[in-house]
Amino acid sequence: MALGKRKPVQQPLFVSTAVLNVRAHPFYDAVNKVLESHHFDIFAEERCSKFYDDGSRGGRPGLAPGSTSAV
């Protein structure tokens, strides 16, 4: 037995996404390939374009369904 008291160890509060072991699932890879081959993003953007705000009413413009960049 050791003499003395143990010092509490503070565990990290947050986990960085770089540390996580996240791999793409083969099913979703296949679905994304099919959607991309049929130009689904373009189709969805055309169908949803009437719902986007062009900024004339003062709001922020909407993000397109296929966009991956965050503002």
PDB file of all heavy atoms in Angstrom, residues 12-46:
ATOM      1  N   PRO A  12     -10.711  15.176 -19.292  1.00  0.00           N
ATOM      2  CA  PRO A  12     -11.089  16.236 -20.231  1.00  0.00           C
ATOM      3  C   PRO A  12     -12.610  16.351 -20.327  1.00  0.00           C
ATOM      4  O   PRO A  12     -13.325  15.348 -20.303  1.00  0.00           O
ATOM      5  CB  PRO A  12     -10.488  15.796 -21.556  1.00  0.00           C
ATOM      6  CG  PRO A  12      -9.963  14.436 -21.362  1.00  0.00           C
ATOM      7  CD  PRO A  12      -9.952  14.116 -19.917  1.00  0.00           C
ATOM      8  N   LEU A  13     -13.078  17.583 -20.449  1.00  0.00           N
ATOM      9  CA  LEU A  13     -14.506  17.837 -20.511  1.00  0.00           C
ATOM     10  C   LEU A  13     -15.061  17.584 -21.909  1.00  0.00           C
ATOM     11  O   LEU A  13     -16.183  17.119 -22.071  1.00  0.00           O
ATOM     12  CB  LEU A  13     -14.796  19.280 -20.081  1.00  0.00           C
ATOM     13  CG  LEU A  13     -16.241  19.691 -19.931  1.00  0.00           C
ATOM     14  CD1 LEU A  13     -16.954  18.814 -18.905  1.00  0.00           C
ATOM     15  CD2 LEU A  13     -16.335  21.150 -19.516  1.00  0.00           C
ATOM     16  N   PHE A  14     -14.270  17.903 -22.918  1.00  0.00           N
ATOM     17  CA  PHE A  14     -14.704  17.735 -24.303  1.00  0.00           C
ATOM     18  C   PHE A  14     -13.750  16.801 -25.023  1.00  0.00           C
ATOM     19  O   PHE A  14     -12.578  16.725 -24.690  1.00  0.00           O
ATOM     20  CB  PHE A  14     -14.743  19.081 -25.035  1.00  0.00           C
ATOM     21  CG  PHE A  14     -15.718  20.045 -24.437  1.00  0.00           C
ATOM     22  CD1 PHE A  14     -15.300  21.054 -23.592  1.00  0.00           C
ATOM     23  CD2 PHE A  14     -17.068  19.932 -24.704  1.00  0.00           C
ATOM     24  CE1 PHE A  14     -16.193  21.936 -23.031  1.00  0.00           C
ATOM     25  CE2 PHE A  14     -17.976  20.810 -24.148  1.00  0.00           C
ATOM     26  CZ  PHE A  14     -17.536  21.816 -23.319  1.00  0.00           C
ATOM     27  N   VAL A  15     -14.270  16.134 -26.048  1.00  0.00           N
ATOM     28  CA  VAL A  15     -13.452  15.258 -26.873  1.00  0.00           C
ATOM     29  C   VAL A  15     -13.327  15.897 -28.244  1.00  0.00           C
ATOM     30  O   VAL A  15     -14.326  16.266 -28.869  1.00  0.00           O
ATOM     31  CB  VAL A  15     -14.098  13.860 -27.006  1.00  0.00           C
ATOM     32  CG1 VAL A  15     -13.280  12.975 -27.919  1.00  0.00           C
ATOM     33  CG2 VAL A  15     -14.255  13.221 -25.642  1.00  0.00           C
ATOM     34  N   SER A  16     -12.117  16.041 -28.718  1.00  0.00           N
ATOM     35  CA  SER A  16     -11.879  16.616 -30.039  1.00  0.00           C
ATOM     36  C   SER A  16     -12.329  15.625 -31.110  1.00  0.00           C
ATOM     37  O   SER A  16     -12.125  14.416 -30.978  1.00  0.00           O
ATOM     38  CB  SER A  16     -10.394  16.920 -30.201  1.00  0.00           C
ATOM     39  OG  SER A  16     -10.116  17.280 -31.531  1.00  0.00           O
ATOM     40  N   THR A  17     -12.902  16.131 -32.185  1.00  0.00           N
ATOM     41  CA  THR A  17     -13.337  15.240 -33.260  1.00  0.00           C
ATOM     42  C   THR A  17     -12.155  14.594 -33.964  1.00  0.00           C
ATOM     43  O   THR A  17     -12.297  13.539 -34.577  1.00  0.00           O
ATOM     44  CB  THR A  17     -14.190  15.997 -34.291  1.00  0.00           C
ATOM     45  OG1 THR A  17     -13.447  17.127 -34.775  1.00  0.00           O
ATOM     46  CG2 THR A  17     -15.495  16.458 -33.690  1.00  0.00           C
ATOM     47  N   ALA A  18     -10.977  15.201 -33.859  1.00  0.00           N
ATOM     48  CA  ALA A  18      -9.781  14.612 -34.461  1.00  0.00           C
ATOM     49  C   ALA A  18      -9.378  13.328 -33.746  1.00  0.00           C
ATOM     50  O   ALA A  18      -8.740  12.451 -34.329  1.00  0.00           O
ATOM     51  CB  ALA A  18      -8.637  15.616 -34.437  1.00  0.00           C
ATOM     52  N   VAL A  19      -9.765  13.194 -32.481  1.00  0.00           N
ATOM     53  CA  VAL A  19      -9.402  12.021 -31.685  1.00  0.00           C
ATOM     54  C   VAL A  19     -10.360  10.860 -31.939  1.00  0.00           C
ATOM     55  O   VAL A  19      -9.998   9.695 -31.782  1.00  0.00           O
ATOM     56  CB  VAL A  19      -9.389  12.390 -30.177  1.00  0.00           C
ATOM     57  CG1 VAL A  19      -9.084  11.188 -29.315  1.00  0.00           C
ATOM     58  CG2 VAL A  19      -8.389  13.496 -29.927  1.00  0.00           C
ATOM     59  N   LEU A  20     -11.582  11.164 -32.339  1.00  0.00           N
ATOM     60  CA  LEU A  20     -12.586  10.121 -32.541  1.00  0.00           C
ATOM     61  C   LEU A  20     -12.229   9.230 -33.726  1.00  0.00           C
ATOM     62  O   LEU A  20     -11.694   9.686 -34.729  1.00  0.00           O
ATOM     63  CB  LEU A  20     -13.955  10.746 -32.782  1.00  0.00           C
ATOM     64  CG  LEU A  20     -14.537  11.545 -31.628  1.00  0.00           C
ATOM     65  CD1 LEU A  20     -15.856  12.180 -32.047  1.00  0.00           C
ATOM     66  CD2 LEU A  20     -14.756  10.664 -30.420  1.00  0.00           C
ATOM     67  N   ASN A  21     -12.536   7.977 -33.612  1.00  0.00           N
ATOM     68  CA  ASN A  21     -12.300   7.020 -34.689  1.00  0.00           C
ATOM     69  C   ASN A  21     -13.590   6.893 -35.504  1.00  0.00           C
ATOM     70  O   ASN A  21     -14.360   5.951 -35.321  1.00  0.00           O
ATOM     71  CB  ASN A  21     -11.867   5.673 -34.110  1.00  0.00           C
ATOM     72  CG  ASN A  21     -11.485   4.685 -35.183  1.00  0.00           C
ATOM     73  OD1 ASN A  21     -11.288   5.056 -36.332  1.00  0.00           O
ATOM     74  ND2 ASN A  21     -11.397   3.421 -34.819  1.00  0.00           N
ATOM     75  N   VAL A  22     -13.803   7.846 -36.385  1.00  0.00           N
ATOM     76  CA  VAL A  22     -15.029   7.870 -37.172  1.00  0.00           C
ATOM     77  C   VAL A  22     -14.687   7.482 -38.607  1.00  0.00           C
ATOM     78  O   VAL A  22     -13.871   8.120 -39.251  1.00  0.00           O
ATOM     79  CB  VAL A  22     -15.680   9.275 -37.146  1.00  0.00           C
ATOM     80  CG1 VAL A  22     -16.923   9.294 -37.991  1.00  0.00           C
ATOM     81  CG2 VAL A  22     -15.982   9.676 -35.720  1.00  0.00           C
ATOM     82  N   ARG A  23     -15.319   6.424 -39.062  1.00  0.00           N
ATOM     83  CA  ARG A  23     -15.104   5.966 -40.433  1.00  0.00           C
ATOM     84  C   ARG A  23     -16.419   6.011 -41.185  1.00  0.00           C
ATOM     85  O   ARG A  23     -17.486   5.841 -40.603  1.00  0.00           O
ATOM     86  CB  ARG A  23     -14.571   4.543 -40.440  1.00  0.00           C
ATOM     87  CG  ARG A  23     -13.144   4.463 -39.926  1.00  0.00           C
ATOM     88  CD  ARG A  23     -12.719   3.044 -39.790  1.00  0.00           C
ATOM     89  NE  ARG A  23     -13.261   2.617 -38.476  1.00  0.00           N
ATOM     90  CZ  ARG A  23     -13.370   1.375 -38.078  1.00  0.00           C
ATOM     91  NH1 ARG A  23     -13.009   0.409 -38.853  1.00  0.00           N
ATOM     92  NH2 ARG A  23     -13.849   1.090 -36.897  1.00  0.00           N
ATOM     93  N   ALA A  24     -16.336   6.249 -42.467  1.00  0.00           N
ATOM     94  CA  ALA A  24     -17.537   6.266 -43.297  1.00  0.00           C
ATOM     95  C   ALA A  24     -18.112   4.852 -43.367  1.00  0.00           C
ATOM     96  O   ALA A  24     -17.381   3.866 -43.402  1.00  0.00           O
ATOM     97  CB  ALA A  24     -17.204   6.772 -44.685  1.00  0.00           C
ATOM     98  N   HIS A  25     -19.425   4.768 -43.397  1.00  0.00           N
ATOM     99  CA  HIS A  25     -20.090   3.474 -43.495  1.00  0.00           C
ATOM    100  C   HIS A  25     -20.228   3.119 -44.978  1.00  0.00           C
ATOM    101  O   HIS A  25     -20.603   3.956 -45.792  1.00  0.00           O
ATOM    102  CB  HIS A  25     -21.471   3.563 -42.833  1.00  0.00           C
ATOM    103  CG  HIS A  25     -22.079   2.231 -42.577  1.00  0.00           C
ATOM    104  ND1 HIS A  25     -22.747   1.534 -43.552  1.00  0.00           N
ATOM    105  CD2 HIS A  25     -22.102   1.459 -41.469  1.00  0.00           C
ATOM    106  CE1 HIS A  25     -23.178   0.391 -43.049  1.00  0.00           C
ATOM    107  NE2 HIS A  25     -22.792   0.325 -41.786  1.00  0.00           N
ATOM    108  N   PRO A  26     -19.934   1.875 -45.360  1.00  0.00           N
ATOM    109  CA  PRO A  26     -20.002   1.483 -46.773  1.00  0.00           C
ATOM    110  C   PRO A  26     -21.373   1.716 -47.404  1.00  0.00           C
ATOM    111  O   PRO A  26     -21.461   2.080 -48.579  1.00  0.00           O
ATOM    112  CB  PRO A  26     -19.668  -0.011 -46.750  1.00  0.00           C
ATOM    113  CG  PRO A  26     -18.947  -0.235 -45.472  1.00  0.00           C
ATOM    114  CD  PRO A  26     -19.450   0.793 -44.510  1.00  0.00           C
ATOM    115  N   PHE A  27     -22.440   1.534 -46.639  1.00  0.00           N
ATOM    116  CA  PHE A  27     -23.786   1.754 -47.185  1.00  0.00           C
ATOM    117  C   PHE A  27     -23.966   3.199 -47.613  1.00  0.00           C
ATOM    118  O   PHE A  27     -24.430   3.490 -48.712  1.00  0.00           O
ATOM    119  CB  PHE A  27     -24.853   1.373 -46.157  1.00  0.00           C
ATOM    120  CG  PHE A  27     -26.245   1.759 -46.576  1.00  0.00           C
ATOM    121  CD1 PHE A  27     -26.932   1.012 -47.526  1.00  0.00           C
ATOM    122  CD2 PHE A  27     -26.857   2.880 -46.043  1.00  0.00           C
ATOM    123  CE1 PHE A  27     -28.210   1.372 -47.921  1.00  0.00           C
ATOM    124  CE2 PHE A  27     -28.136   3.248 -46.435  1.00  0.00           C
ATOM    125  CZ  PHE A  27     -28.814   2.488 -47.373  1.00  0.00           C
ATOM    126  N   TYR A  28     -23.575   4.135 -46.741  1.00  0.00           N
ATOM    127  CA  TYR A  28     -23.759   5.549 -47.056  1.00  0.00           C
ATOM    128  C   TYR A  28     -22.805   6.003 -48.149  1.00  0.00           C
ATOM    129  O   TYR A  28     -23.134   6.906 -48.926  1.00  0.00           O
ATOM    130  CB  TYR A  28     -23.627   6.401 -45.790  1.00  0.00           C
ATOM    131  CG  TYR A  28     -24.729   6.097 -44.815  1.00  0.00           C
ATOM    132  CD1 TYR A  28     -24.472   5.473 -43.611  1.00  0.00           C
ATOM    133  CD2 TYR A  28     -26.056   6.410 -45.125  1.00  0.00           C
ATOM    134  CE1 TYR A  28     -25.493   5.176 -42.725  1.00  0.00           C
ATOM    135  CE2 TYR A  28     -27.081   6.107 -44.253  1.00  0.00           C
ATOM    136  CZ  TYR A  28     -26.795   5.490 -43.053  1.00  0.00           C
ATOM    137  OH  TYR A  28     -27.803   5.188 -42.189  1.00  0.00           O
ATOM    138  N   ASP A  29     -21.634   5.390 -48.242  1.00  0.00           N
ATOM    139  CA  ASP A  29     -20.741   5.683 -49.366  1.00  0.00           C
ATOM    140  C   ASP A  29     -21.418   5.302 -50.685  1.00  0.00           C
ATOM    141  O   ASP A  29     -21.373   6.051 -51.658  1.00  0.00           O
ATOM    142  CB  ASP A  29     -19.427   4.920 -49.242  1.00  0.00           C
ATOM    143  CG  ASP A  29     -18.497   5.523 -48.216  1.00  0.00           C
ATOM    144  OD1 ASP A  29     -18.670   6.715 -47.873  1.00  0.00           O
ATOM    145  OD2 ASP A  29     -17.590   4.798 -47.760  1.00  0.00           O
ATOM    146  N   ALA A  30     -22.060   4.136 -50.711  1.00  0.00           N
ATOM    147  CA  ALA A  30     -22.741   3.680 -51.919  1.00  0.00           C
ATOM    148  C   ALA A  30     -23.930   4.580 -52.260  1.00  0.00           C
ATOM    149  O   ALA A  30     -24.135   4.922 -53.428  1.00  0.00           O
ATOM    150  CB  ALA A  30     -23.207   2.235 -51.750  1.00  0.00           C
ATOM    151  N   VAL A  31     -24.701   4.977 -51.252  1.00  0.00           N
ATOM    152  CA  VAL A  31     -25.844   5.869 -51.488  1.00  0.00           C
ATOM    153  C   VAL A  31     -25.364   7.202 -52.047  1.00  0.00           C
ATOM    154  O   VAL A  31     -25.930   7.733 -53.002  1.00  0.00           O
ATOM    155  CB  VAL A  31     -26.660   6.082 -50.188  1.00  0.00           C
ATOM    156  CG1 VAL A  31     -27.680   7.195 -50.353  1.00  0.00           C
ATOM    157  CG2 VAL A  31     -27.356   4.801 -49.787  1.00  0.00           C
ATOM    158  N   ASN A  32     -24.308   7.750 -51.476  1.00  0.00           N
ATOM    159  CA  ASN A  32     -23.786   9.030 -51.956  1.00  0.00           C
ATOM    160  C   ASN A  32     -23.292   8.938 -53.395  1.00  0.00           C
ATOM    161  O   ASN A  32     -23.465   9.874 -54.178  1.00  0.00           O
ATOM    162  CB  ASN A  32     -22.671   9.532 -51.046  1.00  0.00           C
ATOM    163  CG  ASN A  32     -23.221  10.091 -49.757  1.00  0.00           C
ATOM    164  OD1 ASN A  32     -24.341  10.583 -49.709  1.00  0.00           O
ATOM    165  ND2 ASN A  32     -22.419  10.019 -48.705  1.00  0.00           N
ATOM    166  N   LYS A  33     -22.687   7.816 -53.763  1.00  0.00           N
ATOM    167  CA  LYS A  33     -22.232   7.636 -55.148  1.00  0.00           C
ATOM    168  C   LYS A  33     -23.417   7.598 -56.107  1.00  0.00           C
ATOM    169  O   LYS A  33     -23.371   8.187 -57.188  1.00  0.00           O
ATOM    170  CB  LYS A  33     -21.410   6.356 -55.274  1.00  0.00           C
ATOM    171  CG  LYS A  33     -20.031   6.485 -54.681  1.00  0.00           C
ATOM    172  CD  LYS A  33     -19.260   5.187 -54.810  1.00  0.00           C
ATOM    173  CE  LYS A  33     -17.929   5.297 -54.108  1.00  0.00           C
ATOM    174  NZ  LYS A  33     -17.185   4.035 -54.119  1.00  0.00           N
ATOM    175  N   VAL A  34     -24.493   6.909 -55.727  1.00  0.00           N
ATOM    176  CA  VAL A  34     -25.674   6.839 -56.594  1.00  0.00           C
ATOM    177  C   VAL A  34     -26.306   8.223 -56.745  1.00  0.00           C
ATOM    178  O   VAL A  34     -26.646   8.652 -57.851  1.00  0.00           O
ATOM    179  CB  VAL A  34     -26.710   5.829 -56.032  1.00  0.00           C
ATOM    180  CG1 VAL A  34     -28.038   5.931 -56.764  1.00  0.00           C
ATOM    181  CG2 VAL A  34     -26.159   4.415 -56.112  1.00  0.00           C
ATOM    182  N   LEU A  35     -26.456   8.937 -55.628  1.00  0.00           N
ATOM    183  CA  LEU A  35     -27.049  10.274 -55.684  1.00  0.00           C
ATOM    184  C   LEU A  35     -26.195  11.224 -56.516  1.00  0.00           C
ATOM    185  O   LEU A  35     -26.722  12.027 -57.292  1.00  0.00           O
ATOM    186  CB  LEU A  35     -27.244  10.831 -54.272  1.00  0.00           C
ATOM    187  CG  LEU A  35     -28.285  10.120 -53.415  1.00  0.00           C
ATOM    188  CD1 LEU A  35     -28.287  10.691 -52.008  1.00  0.00           C
ATOM    189  CD2 LEU A  35     -29.664  10.207 -54.032  1.00  0.00           C
ATOM    190  N   GLU A  36     -24.889  11.133 -56.364  1.00  0.00           N
ATOM    191  CA  GLU A  36     -23.996  12.000 -57.135  1.00  0.00           C
ATOM    192  C   GLU A  36     -24.060  11.672 -58.623  1.00  0.00           C
ATOM    193  O   GLU A  36     -24.057  12.577 -59.460  1.00  0.00           O
ATOM    194  CB  GLU A  36     -22.564  11.848 -56.622  1.00  0.00           C
ATOM    195  CG  GLU A  36     -21.590  12.799 -57.280  1.00  0.00           C
ATOM    196  CD  GLU A  36     -20.192  12.665 -56.705  1.00  0.00           C
ATOM    197  OE1 GLU A  36     -20.035  12.138 -55.589  1.00  0.00           O
ATOM    198  OE2 GLU A  36     -19.259  13.101 -57.387  1.00  0.00           O
ATOM    199  N   SER A  37     -24.142  10.393 -58.972  1.00  0.00           N
ATOM    200  CA  SER A  37     -24.180  10.007 -60.382  1.00  0.00           C
ATOM    201  C   SER A  37     -25.462  10.473 -61.067  1.00  0.00           C
ATOM    202  O   SER A  37     -25.485  10.668 -62.280  1.00  0.00           O
ATOM    203  CB  SER A  37     -24.029   8.493 -60.529  1.00  0.00           C
ATOM    204  OG  SER A  37     -25.181   7.826 -60.048  1.00  0.00           O
ATOM    205  N   HIS A  38     -26.520  10.670 -60.299  1.00  0.00           N
ATOM    206  CA  HIS A  38     -27.794  11.152 -60.859  1.00  0.00           C
ATOM    207  C   HIS A  38     -28.005  12.644 -60.623  1.00  0.00           C
ATOM    208  O   HIS A  38     -29.113  13.144 -60.832  1.00  0.00           O
ATOM    209  CB  HIS A  38     -28.962  10.361 -60.257  1.00  0.00           C
ATOM    210  CG  HIS A  38     -28.996   8.933 -60.715  1.00  0.00           C
ATOM    211  ND1 HIS A  38     -29.414   8.559 -61.964  1.00  0.00           N
ATOM    212  CD2 HIS A  38     -28.625   7.790 -60.084  1.00  0.00           C
ATOM    213  CE1 HIS A  38     -29.326   7.251 -62.096  1.00  0.00           C
ATOM    214  NE2 HIS A  38     -28.838   6.756 -60.959  1.00  0.00           N
ATOM    215  N   HIS A  39     -26.958  13.352 -60.172  1.00  0.00           N
ATOM    216  CA  HIS A  39     -26.990  14.808 -59.969  1.00  0.00           C
ATOM    217  C   HIS A  39     -28.141  15.225 -59.054  1.00  0.00           C
ATOM    218  O   HIS A  39     -28.871  16.171 -59.334  1.00  0.00           O
ATOM    219  CB  HIS A  39     -27.075  15.540 -61.310  1.00  0.00           C
ATOM    220  CG  HIS A  39     -26.032  15.107 -62.277  1.00  0.00           C
ATOM    221  ND1 HIS A  39     -24.707  15.421 -62.130  1.00  0.00           N
ATOM    222  CD2 HIS A  39     -26.116  14.345 -63.404  1.00  0.00           C
ATOM    223  CE1 HIS A  39     -24.015  14.895 -63.132  1.00  0.00           C
ATOM    224  NE2 HIS A  39     -24.844  14.232 -63.909  1.00  0.00           N
ATOM    225  N   PHE A  40     -28.278  14.529 -57.943  1.00  0.00           N
ATOM    226  CA  PHE A  40     -29.377  14.804 -57.017  1.00  0.00           C
ATOM    227  C   PHE A  40     -29.270  16.183 -56.384  1.00  0.00           C
ATOM    228  O   PHE A  40     -30.283  16.838 -56.157  1.00  0.00           O
ATOM    229  CB  PHE A  40     -29.445  13.732 -55.925  1.00  0.00           C
ATOM    230  CG  PHE A  40     -30.573  13.967 -54.951  1.00  0.00           C
ATOM    231  CD1 PHE A  40     -31.873  13.667 -55.316  1.00  0.00           C
ATOM    232  CD2 PHE A  40     -30.333  14.513 -53.709  1.00  0.00           C
ATOM    233  CE1 PHE A  40     -32.921  13.900 -54.436  1.00  0.00           C
ATOM    234  CE2 PHE A  40     -31.376  14.745 -52.823  1.00  0.00           C
ATOM    235  CZ  PHE A  40     -32.670  14.436 -53.193  1.00  0.00           C
ATOM    236  N   ASP A  41     -28.045  16.651 -56.089  1.00  0.00           N
ATOM    237  CA  ASP A  41     -27.888  17.970 -55.469  1.00  0.00           C
ATOM    238  C   ASP A  41     -28.458  19.067 -56.354  1.00  0.00           C
ATOM    239  O   ASP A  41     -29.145  19.973 -55.879  1.00  0.00           O
ATOM    240  CB  ASP A  41     -26.422  18.263 -55.165  1.00  0.00           C
ATOM    241  CG  ASP A  41     -25.888  17.478 -53.985  1.00  0.00           C
ATOM    242  OD1 ASP A  41     -26.713  16.905 -53.237  1.00  0.00           O
ATOM    243  OD2 ASP A  41     -24.660  17.445 -53.801  1.00  0.00           O
ATOM    244  N   ILE A  42     -28.175  19.000 -57.637  1.00  0.00           N
ATOM    245  CA  ILE A  42     -28.689  20.003 -58.580  1.00  0.00           C
ATOM    246  C   ILE A  42     -30.214  19.938 -58.628  1.00  0.00           C
ATOM    247  O   ILE A  42     -30.897  20.970 -58.608  1.00  0.00           O
ATOM    248  CB  ILE A  42     -28.073  19.790 -59.977  1.00  0.00           C
ATOM    249  CG1 ILE A  42     -26.559  20.018 -59.914  1.00  0.00           C
ATOM    250  CG2 ILE A  42     -28.714  20.712 -60.996  1.00  0.00           C
ATOM    251  CD1 ILE A  42     -25.827  19.597 -61.167  1.00  0.00           C
ATOM    252  N   PHE A  43     -30.755  18.736 -58.678  1.00  0.00           N
ATOM    253  CA  PHE A  43     -32.204  18.552 -58.698  1.00  0.00           C
ATOM    254  C   PHE A  43     -32.848  19.160 -57.458  1.00  0.00           C
ATOM    255  O   PHE A  43     -33.826  19.910 -57.547  1.00  0.00           O
ATOM    256  CB  PHE A  43     -32.534  17.058 -58.787  1.00  0.00           C
ATOM    257  CG  PHE A  43     -33.980  16.738 -58.542  1.00  0.00           C
ATOM    258  CD1 PHE A  43     -34.930  16.965 -59.526  1.00  0.00           C
ATOM    259  CD2 PHE A  43     -34.384  16.220 -57.322  1.00  0.00           C
ATOM    260  CE1 PHE A  43     -36.271  16.667 -59.293  1.00  0.00           C
ATOM    261  CE2 PHE A  43     -35.715  15.922 -57.080  1.00  0.00           C
ATOM    262  CZ  PHE A  43     -36.663  16.152 -58.070  1.00  0.00           C
ATOM    263  N   ALA A  44     -32.286  18.870 -56.282  1.00  0.00           N
ATOM    264  CA  ALA A  44     -32.860  19.379 -55.031  1.00  0.00           C
ATOM    265  C   ALA A  44     -32.753  20.897 -54.953  1.00  0.00           C
ATOM    266  O   ALA A  44     -33.682  21.564 -54.485  1.00  0.00           O
ATOM    267  CB  ALA A  44     -32.159  18.739 -53.841  1.00  0.00           C
ATOM    268  N   GLU A  45     -31.633  21.459 -55.403  1.00  0.00           N
ATOM    269  CA  GLU A  45     -31.482  22.909 -55.386  1.00  0.00           C
ATOM    270  C   GLU A  45     -32.506  23.586 -56.291  1.00  0.00           C
ATOM    271  O   GLU A  45     -33.074  24.620 -55.933  1.00  0.00           O
ATOM    272  CB  GLU A  45     -30.067  23.306 -55.804  1.00  0.00           C
ATOM    273  CG  GLU A  45     -29.035  22.993 -54.754  1.00  0.00           C
ATOM    274  CD  GLU A  45     -27.624  23.322 -55.202  1.00  0.00           C
ATOM    275  OE1 GLU A  45     -27.467  24.147 -56.130  1.00  0.00           O
ATOM    276  OE2 GLU A  45     -26.685  22.764 -54.623  1.00  0.00           O
ATOM    277  N   GLU A  46     -32.748  23.010 -57.463  1.00  0.00           N
ATOM    278  CA  GLU A  46     -33.737  23.594 -58.383  1.00  0.00           C
ATOM    279  C   GLU A  46     -35.144  23.534 -57.789  1.00  0.00           C
ATOM    280  O   GLU A  46     -35.902  24.495 -57.893  1.00  0.00           O
ATOM    281  CB  GLU A  46     -33.695  22.869 -59.721  1.00  0.00           C
ATOM    282  CG  GLU A  46     -32.447  23.155 -60.523  1.00  0.00           C
ATOM    283  CD  GLU A  46     -32.335  22.279 -61.757  1.00  0.00           C
ATOM    284  OE1 GLU A  46     -33.162  21.348 -61.931  1.00  0.00           O
ATOM    285  OE2 GLU A  46     -31.406  22.523 -62.553  1.00  0.00           O
TER     286      GLU A  46
END
